[in-house]
Short mmCIF file of all heavy atoms in Angstrom, two decimals:
data_model
loop_
_atom_site.label_atom_id
_atom_site.label_comp_id
_atom_site.label_asym_id
_atom_site.label_seq_id
_atom_site.Cartn_x
_atom_site.Cartn_y
_atom_site.Cartn_z
N LEU A 1 0.83 -1.20 0.00
CA LEU A 1 0.00 0.00 0.00
C LEU A 1 0.86 1.26 0.00
O LEU A 1 1.90 1.31 0.68
CB LEU A 1 -0.92 0.01 1.22
CG LEU A 1 -1.92 -1.14 1.31
CD1 LEU A 1 -2.69 -1.07 2.63
CD2 LEU A 1 -2.88 -1.11 0.13
N PRO A 2 0.46 2.31 -0.70
CA PRO A 2 1.25 3.54 -0.74
C PRO A 2 1.34 4.24 0.62
O PRO A 2 2.29 4.95 0.90
CB PRO A 2 0.52 4.42 -1.76
CG PRO A 2 -0.87 3.87 -1.82
CD PRO A 2 -0.74 2.40 -1.57
N ARG A 3 0.36 4.00 1.45
CA ARG A 3 0.37 4.54 2.82
C ARG A 3 -0.49 3.63 3.69
O ARG A 3 -1.37 2.93 3.19
CB ARG A 3 -0.12 5.98 2.86
CG ARG A 3 -1.55 6.18 2.39
CD ARG A 3 -1.91 7.65 2.36
NE ARG A 3 -1.01 8.41 1.53
CZ ARG A 3 -1.11 8.51 0.21
NH1 ARG A 3 -2.10 7.87 -0.43
NH2 ARG A 3 -0.25 9.22 -0.48
N GLY A 4 -0.24 3.66 4.99
CA GLY A 4 -1.02 2.80 5.87
C GLY A 4 -0.68 3.04 7.33
O GLY A 4 0.05 3.98 7.68
N ARG A 5 -1.19 2.18 8.19
CA ARG A 5 -0.96 2.30 9.62
C ARG A 5 -0.81 0.92 10.24
O ARG A 5 -1.40 -0.06 9.78
CB ARG A 5 -2.11 3.07 10.30
CG ARG A 5 -3.47 2.47 10.08
CD ARG A 5 -4.57 3.42 10.52
NE ARG A 5 -4.76 3.42 11.97
CZ ARG A 5 -4.99 4.51 12.70
NH1 ARG A 5 -5.04 5.69 12.11
NH2 ARG A 5 -5.18 4.44 14.00
N VAL A 6 -0.02 0.87 11.28
CA VAL A 6 0.14 -0.34 12.08
C VAL A 6 -0.25 0.03 13.50
O VAL A 6 0.38 0.89 14.11
CB VAL A 6 1.58 -0.88 12.05
CG1 VAL A 6 1.68 -2.18 12.86
CG2 VAL A 6 2.06 -1.11 10.62
N GLU A 7 -1.30 -0.58 14.00
CA GLU A 7 -1.77 -0.29 15.36
C GLU A 7 -1.79 -1.59 16.14
O GLU A 7 -2.78 -2.31 16.17
CB GLU A 7 -3.15 0.36 15.32
CG GLU A 7 -3.58 0.94 16.66
CD GLU A 7 -4.76 1.89 16.55
OE1 GLU A 7 -5.33 1.99 15.44
OE2 GLU A 7 -5.09 2.54 17.55
N LEU A 8 -0.64 -1.91 16.73
CA LEU A 8 -0.47 -3.13 17.51
C LEU A 8 0.27 -2.77 18.80
O LEU A 8 1.24 -1.99 18.77
CB LEU A 8 0.33 -4.18 16.75
CG LEU A 8 -0.36 -4.87 15.56
CD1 LEU A 8 0.65 -5.69 14.78
CD2 LEU A 8 -1.50 -5.74 16.05
N ALA A 9 -0.17 -3.34 19.91
CA ALA A 9 0.51 -3.10 21.18
C ALA A 9 1.94 -3.63 21.11
O ALA A 9 2.23 -4.59 20.39
CB ALA A 9 -0.25 -3.79 22.31
N VAL A 10 2.83 -2.99 21.84
CA VAL A 10 4.23 -3.40 21.88
C VAL A 10 4.58 -3.75 23.33
O VAL A 10 4.34 -2.95 24.24
CB VAL A 10 5.16 -2.28 21.36
CG1 VAL A 10 6.62 -2.67 21.57
CG2 VAL A 10 4.89 -2.02 19.89
N GLY A 11 5.12 -4.94 23.52
CA GLY A 11 5.50 -5.39 24.87
C GLY A 11 6.78 -6.19 24.83
O GLY A 11 7.27 -6.56 23.76
N ARG A 12 7.33 -6.46 25.99
CA ARG A 12 8.57 -7.21 26.10
C ARG A 12 8.35 -8.66 25.68
O ARG A 12 7.37 -9.29 26.04
CB ARG A 12 9.07 -7.17 27.55
CG ARG A 12 10.42 -7.79 27.81
CD ARG A 12 11.55 -6.96 27.29
NE ARG A 12 11.58 -5.61 27.85
CZ ARG A 12 12.49 -4.70 27.49
NH1 ARG A 12 13.39 -4.97 26.55
NH2 ARG A 12 12.46 -3.50 28.03
N ASP A 13 9.27 -9.20 24.90
CA ASP A 13 9.21 -10.61 24.51
C ASP A 13 9.57 -11.45 25.73
O ASP A 13 10.66 -11.30 26.29
CB ASP A 13 10.21 -10.87 23.37
CG ASP A 13 10.06 -12.26 22.77
OD1 ASP A 13 9.87 -13.22 23.54
OD2 ASP A 13 10.15 -12.39 21.54
N PRO A 14 8.67 -12.33 26.18
CA PRO A 14 8.95 -13.10 27.40
C PRO A 14 10.10 -14.08 27.27
O PRO A 14 10.68 -14.52 28.28
CB PRO A 14 7.62 -13.83 27.66
CG PRO A 14 6.98 -13.92 26.31
CD PRO A 14 7.37 -12.66 25.60
N ARG A 15 10.44 -14.44 26.06
CA ARG A 15 11.53 -15.42 25.86
C ARG A 15 12.88 -14.76 25.64
O ARG A 15 13.91 -15.32 26.01
CB ARG A 15 11.18 -16.31 24.66
CG ARG A 15 9.94 -17.16 24.88
CD ARG A 15 9.66 -18.02 23.66
NE ARG A 15 8.46 -18.84 23.86
CZ ARG A 15 7.95 -19.65 22.94
NH1 ARG A 15 8.54 -19.74 21.75
NH2 ARG A 15 6.86 -20.35 23.20
N GLU A 16 12.88 -13.58 25.02
CA GLU A 16 14.13 -12.86 24.77
C GLU A 16 13.96 -11.44 25.28
O GLU A 16 13.34 -10.61 24.62
CB GLU A 16 14.47 -12.86 23.28
CG GLU A 16 14.71 -14.24 22.69
CD GLU A 16 15.11 -14.17 21.23
OE1 GLU A 16 16.07 -13.45 20.92
OE2 GLU A 16 14.45 -14.83 20.40
N ARG A 17 14.53 -11.16 26.45
CA ARG A 17 14.26 -9.90 27.14
C ARG A 17 14.81 -8.68 26.42
O ARG A 17 14.39 -7.56 26.69
CB ARG A 17 14.85 -9.96 28.56
CG ARG A 17 14.26 -11.08 29.42
CD ARG A 17 12.76 -10.94 29.58
NE ARG A 17 12.38 -9.77 30.35
CZ ARG A 17 11.14 -9.33 30.46
NH1 ARG A 17 10.16 -9.95 29.84
NH2 ARG A 17 10.87 -8.26 31.18
N LYS A 18 15.75 -8.87 25.49
CA LYS A 18 16.28 -7.73 24.76
C LYS A 18 15.39 -7.33 23.59
O LYS A 18 15.60 -6.30 22.97
CB LYS A 18 17.69 -8.04 24.25
CG LYS A 18 18.74 -8.16 25.35
CD LYS A 18 20.12 -8.37 24.75
CE LYS A 18 21.17 -8.44 25.86
NZ LYS A 18 22.53 -8.62 25.29
N ARG A 19 14.40 -8.18 23.30
CA ARG A 19 13.51 -7.92 22.18
C ARG A 19 12.14 -7.46 22.66
O ARG A 19 11.71 -7.78 23.75
CB ARG A 19 13.31 -9.21 21.35
CG ARG A 19 14.49 -9.65 20.55
CD ARG A 19 14.25 -11.04 19.98
NE ARG A 19 12.99 -11.14 19.26
CZ ARG A 19 12.87 -11.05 17.94
NH1 ARG A 19 13.94 -10.86 17.20
NH2 ARG A 19 11.69 -11.15 17.36
N MET A 20 11.47 -6.71 21.81
CA MET A 20 10.08 -6.37 22.02
C MET A 20 9.28 -7.14 20.97
O MET A 20 9.84 -7.67 20.01
CB MET A 20 9.86 -4.86 21.87
CG MET A 20 10.77 -4.00 22.71
SD MET A 20 10.59 -4.26 24.49
CE MET A 20 9.02 -3.41 24.77
N ARG A 21 7.96 -7.19 21.15
CA ARG A 21 7.14 -7.84 20.15
C ARG A 21 5.80 -7.12 20.03
O ARG A 21 5.34 -6.49 20.98
CB ARG A 21 6.92 -9.31 20.48
CG ARG A 21 6.09 -9.57 21.72
CD ARG A 21 5.83 -11.06 21.88
NE ARG A 21 4.96 -11.32 23.02
CZ ARG A 21 4.49 -12.53 23.32
NH1 ARG A 21 4.82 -13.57 22.58
NH2 ARG A 21 3.70 -12.69 24.37
N ALA A 22 5.21 -7.22 18.85
CA ALA A 22 3.92 -6.60 18.59
C ALA A 22 2.82 -7.63 18.76
O ALA A 22 2.94 -8.75 18.27
CB ALA A 22 3.88 -6.02 17.17
N THR A 23 1.76 -7.25 19.47
CA THR A 23 0.64 -8.15 19.70
C THR A 23 -0.65 -7.37 19.53
O THR A 23 -0.67 -6.15 19.51
CB THR A 23 0.68 -8.75 21.12
OG1 THR A 23 0.47 -7.70 22.07
CG2 THR A 23 2.00 -9.44 21.41
N ALA A 24 -1.74 -8.09 19.42
CA ALA A 24 -3.03 -7.43 19.27
C ALA A 24 -3.58 -6.94 20.61
O ALA A 24 -4.45 -6.07 20.64
CB ALA A 24 -4.03 -8.39 18.62
N SER A 25 -3.10 -7.51 21.72
CA SER A 25 -3.70 -7.17 23.00
C SER A 25 -2.69 -6.88 24.11
O SER A 25 -2.82 -5.89 24.82
CB SER A 25 -4.63 -8.31 23.46
OG SER A 25 -3.91 -9.53 23.52
N ARG A 26 -1.67 -7.72 24.27
CA ARG A 26 -0.73 -7.54 25.38
C ARG A 26 0.25 -6.41 25.08
O ARG A 26 0.49 -6.06 23.95
CB ARG A 26 0.02 -8.84 25.67
CG ARG A 26 -0.91 -10.00 26.04
CD ARG A 26 -0.11 -11.25 26.31
NE ARG A 26 0.75 -11.10 27.47
CZ ARG A 26 0.37 -11.27 28.73
NH1 ARG A 26 -0.88 -11.60 28.99
NH2 ARG A 26 1.22 -11.13 29.72
N GLY A 27 0.83 -5.84 26.15
CA GLY A 27 1.75 -4.73 25.96
C GLY A 27 1.03 -3.40 26.00
O GLY A 27 -0.13 -3.30 26.41
N ARG A 28 1.72 -2.36 25.56
CA ARG A 28 1.17 -1.01 25.58
C ARG A 28 0.77 -0.60 24.17
O ARG A 28 1.48 -0.88 23.20
CB ARG A 28 2.21 -0.04 26.14
CG ARG A 28 2.61 -0.35 27.59
CD ARG A 28 3.76 0.52 28.02
NE ARG A 28 3.40 1.94 28.00
CZ ARG A 28 4.30 2.92 28.10
NH1 ARG A 28 5.59 2.63 28.22
NH2 ARG A 28 3.90 4.17 28.09
N GLY A 29 -0.37 0.08 24.07
CA GLY A 29 -0.87 0.49 22.77
C GLY A 29 0.16 1.30 21.98
O GLY A 29 0.87 2.13 22.55
N ALA A 30 0.24 1.04 20.69
CA ALA A 30 1.22 1.72 19.85
C ALA A 30 0.66 1.91 18.45
O ALA A 30 0.00 1.02 17.91
CB ALA A 30 2.52 0.94 19.80
N LEU A 31 0.94 3.07 17.85
CA LEU A 31 0.44 3.39 16.52
C LEU A 31 1.57 3.99 15.68
O LEU A 31 2.25 4.92 16.10
CB LEU A 31 -0.72 4.39 16.59
CG LEU A 31 -1.17 5.01 15.26
CD1 LEU A 31 -1.72 3.94 14.32
CD2 LEU A 31 -2.21 6.10 15.51
N THR A 32 1.74 3.43 14.49
CA THR A 32 2.70 3.94 13.52
C THR A 32 1.98 4.14 12.20
O THR A 32 1.21 3.27 11.78
CB THR A 32 3.86 2.94 13.31
OG1 THR A 32 4.56 2.74 14.53
CG2 THR A 32 4.83 3.45 12.25
N THR A 33 2.20 5.27 11.55
CA THR A 33 1.71 5.46 10.18
C THR A 33 2.91 5.54 9.25
O THR A 33 4.01 5.93 9.66
CB THR A 33 0.84 6.72 10.04
OG1 THR A 33 1.59 7.86 10.48
CG2 THR A 33 -0.42 6.60 10.88
N TYR A 34 2.68 5.17 7.99
CA TYR A 34 3.79 5.18 7.03
C TYR A 34 3.31 5.62 5.66
O TYR A 34 2.13 5.55 5.34
CB TYR A 34 4.44 3.79 6.94
CG TYR A 34 3.55 2.73 6.33
CD1 TYR A 34 3.50 2.54 4.95
CD2 TYR A 34 2.75 1.92 7.14
CE1 TYR A 34 2.67 1.57 4.39
CE2 TYR A 34 1.93 0.95 6.59
CZ TYR A 34 1.90 0.77 5.21
OH TYR A 34 1.08 -0.17 4.66
N GLU A 35 4.26 6.08 4.86
CA GLU A 35 3.98 6.47 3.48
C GLU A 35 5.19 6.12 2.63
O GLU A 35 6.34 6.36 3.04
CB GLU A 35 3.69 7.96 3.40
CG GLU A 35 3.30 8.44 2.01
CD GLU A 35 2.80 9.87 2.00
OE1 GLU A 35 2.55 10.41 3.10
OE2 GLU A 35 2.67 10.43 0.91
N ILE A 36 4.94 5.54 1.46
CA ILE A 36 6.04 5.16 0.58
C ILE A 36 6.64 6.41 -0.05
O ILE A 36 5.93 7.27 -0.59
CB ILE A 36 5.56 4.19 -0.51
CG1 ILE A 36 5.21 2.83 0.12
CG2 ILE A 36 6.63 4.01 -1.59
CD1 ILE A 36 4.67 1.81 -0.86
#
């Protein structure tokens, strides 16, 4: 898509503490928009 949005919560990955992960529910709400 030429432009769009990603609205997925971001939280700590329980298996790899240095990583974060995007989920539909767990973690803290997060929104990113993008344009090509």
Side-chain angles (χ1 to χ4, degrees):
L1 298 175
R3 61 185 57 83
R5 57 192 281 139
V6 182
E7 192 165 8
L8 289 170
V10 173
R12 186 73 58 182
D13 189 319
R15 296 180 180 177
E16 298 183 53
R17 300 300 294 170
K18 291 184 178 181
R19 289 170 52 98
M20 307 298 286
R21 67 175 184 175
T23 66
S25 57
R26 300 180 64 84
R28 298 172 62 192
L31 170 63
T32 299
T33 56
Y34 67 87
E35 184 170 349
I36 291 178

